[in-house]
C-alpha cells in the first residue's frame, strides 16, 4: 500500500470510525470468499528492533543486513525510517546509530574491497527526480559516514538493491513509475553513477533483489507479481504472479538466499494478507508460505521490506536470519522483527 492510500485510511478511521469499521468488515468478508490461499505455517520472532522515531505514520520500511564474519553476534542491521532517516541496529534490536535524512525509502548494502561496507538508499525527497544516497558503514561503531548523493534519473525513488560485481558496486533503482535502471557506481576520484541498462515494468514496483551468481534481477510489481530480468537483458518476464493464492497484493519486499551454482530461495512479502512466500530457484516454483505469528514478540502485519541472510549470526541466529518490517507494532511506532532463518526452513520442510 502506498503512502497516499495509508493516509486516506487513517483519515477515514479518525473522522468516520463507524463507516471505516463497516467497510473493513465488508472487505474482510470479500477476502474470505475470494482468496483461498496456500497453506500457511507460523514462525516466531526471537528479537525485535526498537521502534523507529516516527510515531503514528507509515514510516519503517526496508532492512539490510551486514554479517560480521569475525564476530557474527556483532552483525548489524541497517533500516529505513522514511520520514526520519537510517537506523543501524544490533542483533539485540538496540539502536547503534541514527542518521537523520528524511526521504530514504529502501536500503541495501554491499562490501566493496576498495571501499569497505557501502550502504545505498533510494532518496525520494525530490518526487520528480530520484537519487541514490551513499554511505560507508563503520562496523566497530555502527555509524554511517555519508559519501555522496547521486542523481538516478526521473521519477519518485522507491525500490533499490545491488551487489558487488568484479570489485565494482552495481545498483538497481526502481522508481514508482516503473522505469528500472542499472547503475555502475564509481568512487574515484569522487563517487558517480554510470547508467548501464534500462528496463520497464507496467505499474508501480518496489521489491528488488539480485542474484549475485548470475546477475538475474527480480523486481516486485506490487499489483501484478515478480519479474525476472536476466543479466544484460532489457525485457523481463513475470515468474511469480499475484494470484491471491501464493501472493496477495500489494507485493512488497524481496530477498534471495543462494545455494550452490543455481539453487536457492526467493522470499517475498505478501502484504495484502500479512504472509511471506518462498520460491525455489532457479525455476521460481512455490516452496512454502508462512507468517510471523505472535509469541514472545508480536506478529508482523502489512510488511513492506524484508531481508534474509544465510550464515552464522551468533547464538540466536546460528544458521541465518530473516528480518521483516512490522507495519502494525501495537501501540508503538513501526519496527522490525527478527526470525532465525533455520526455523523458517525447518517448518517449511515438514510434509
Amino acid at each position: 500500500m502506498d503512502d497516499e492510500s495509508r493516509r486516506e485510511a487513517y483519515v477515514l478511521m479518525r473522522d468516520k470510525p463507524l463507516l471505516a469499521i463497516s467497510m473493513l468488515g465488508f472487505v474482510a468478508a470479500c477476502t474470505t470468499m475470494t482468496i483461498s490461499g496456500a497453506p500457511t505455517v507460523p514462525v516466531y520472532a526471537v528479537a525485535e528492533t526498537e521502534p523507529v522515531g516516527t510515531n503514528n505514520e507509515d514510516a519503517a520500511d526496508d532492512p539490510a543486513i551486514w554479517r560480521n564474519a569475525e564476530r557474527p553476534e556483532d552483525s548489524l542491521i541497517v533500516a529505513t525510517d522514511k520520514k526520519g532517516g537510517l537506523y543501524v541496529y544490533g542483533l539485540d534490536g538496540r539502536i547503534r546509530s541514527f542518521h537523520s535524512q528524511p526521504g530514504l525509502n529502501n536500503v541495501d548494502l554491499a562490501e566493496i574491497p576498495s571501499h569497505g561496507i557501502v550502504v545505498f538508499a533510494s532518496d525520494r525527497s525530490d518526487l520528480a527526480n530520484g537519487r541514490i544516497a551513499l554511505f560507508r558503514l563503520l562496523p566497530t561503531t555502527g555509524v554511517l559516514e555519508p559519501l555522496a548523493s547521486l542523481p538516478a534519473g526521473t521519477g519518485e525513488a522507491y525500490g533499490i538493491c545491488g551487489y558487488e560485481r568484479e570489485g565494482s558496486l552495481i545498483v538497481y533503482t526502481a522508481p514508482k513509475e516503473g522505469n528500472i535502471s542499472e547503475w555502475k557506481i564509481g568512487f574515484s576520484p569522487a563517487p558517480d553513477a554510470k547508467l548501464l541498462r534500462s528496463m520497464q515494468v507496467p505499474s508501480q514496483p518496489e521489491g528488488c533483489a539480485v542474484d549475485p551468481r548470475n546477475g538475474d534481477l527480480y523486481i516486485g510489481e506490487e499489483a501484478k507479481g515478480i519479474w525476472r530480468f536476466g543479466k544484460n537483458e532489457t525485457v523481463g518476464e513475470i515468474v511469480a504472479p499475484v494470484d491471491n493464492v501464493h501472493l496477495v497484493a500489494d507485493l512488497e519486499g524481496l530477498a534471495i538466499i543462494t545455494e550452490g551454482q543455481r539453487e536457492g530461495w526467493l522470499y517475498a512479502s505478501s502484504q495484502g494478507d500479512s504472509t511471506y512466500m518462498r520460491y525455489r530457484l532457479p525455476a521460481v516454483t512455490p516452496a512454502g508460505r508462512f507468517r510471523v505469528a505472535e509469541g514472545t514478540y508480536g506478529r508482523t502485519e502489512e510488511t513492506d521490506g524484508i531481508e534474509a541472510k544465510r550464515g552464522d549470526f551468533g547464538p540466536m541466529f546460528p544458521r541465518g536470519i530473516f528480518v521483516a518490517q512490522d507495519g502494525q507494532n501495537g501501540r508503538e511506532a513501526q519496527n522490525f522483527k527478527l526470525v532465525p532463518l533455520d526455523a523458517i526452513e525447518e517448518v517449511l520442510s515438514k510434509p
Side-chain angles (χ1 to χ4, degrees), residues 209-226:
V210 60
D211 190 326
R213 299 168 298 183
N214 57 16
D216 280 352
L217 174 66
Y218 295 89
I219 295 289
E221 183 186 3
E222 293 190 356
K224 297 297 183 180
I226 302 172

Side-chain angles (χ1 to χ4, degrees), residues 46-67:
V46 299
E48 65 178 350
T49 67
E50 295 182 61
V52 299
T54 304
N55 289 305
N56 301 319
E57 290 193 56
D58 176 30
D61 196 286
D62 190 46
I65 303 168
W66 173 71
R67 180 176 175 271

Side-chain angles (χ1 to χ4, degrees), residues 123 129-134 148-154 157 173 181 183-185 191-195:
D123 184 352
N129 299 283
R131 301 189 72 84
I132 301 169
L134 288 176
S149 176
L150 305 177
T154 59
T173 54
S181 299
W183 307 88
K184 183 176 181 179
I185 307 300
D192 64 358
K194 177 184 177 181
L195 180 63

Side-chain angles (χ1 to χ4, degrees), residues 21 70 92 95 99 127 147 169 192 212-213 258 314 349:
I21 292 169
E70 295 182 356
D92 58 1
I95 297 170
H99 173 79
L127 299 185
L147 295 177
L169 175 60
D192 64 358
R213 299 168 298 183
T258 61
S349 68

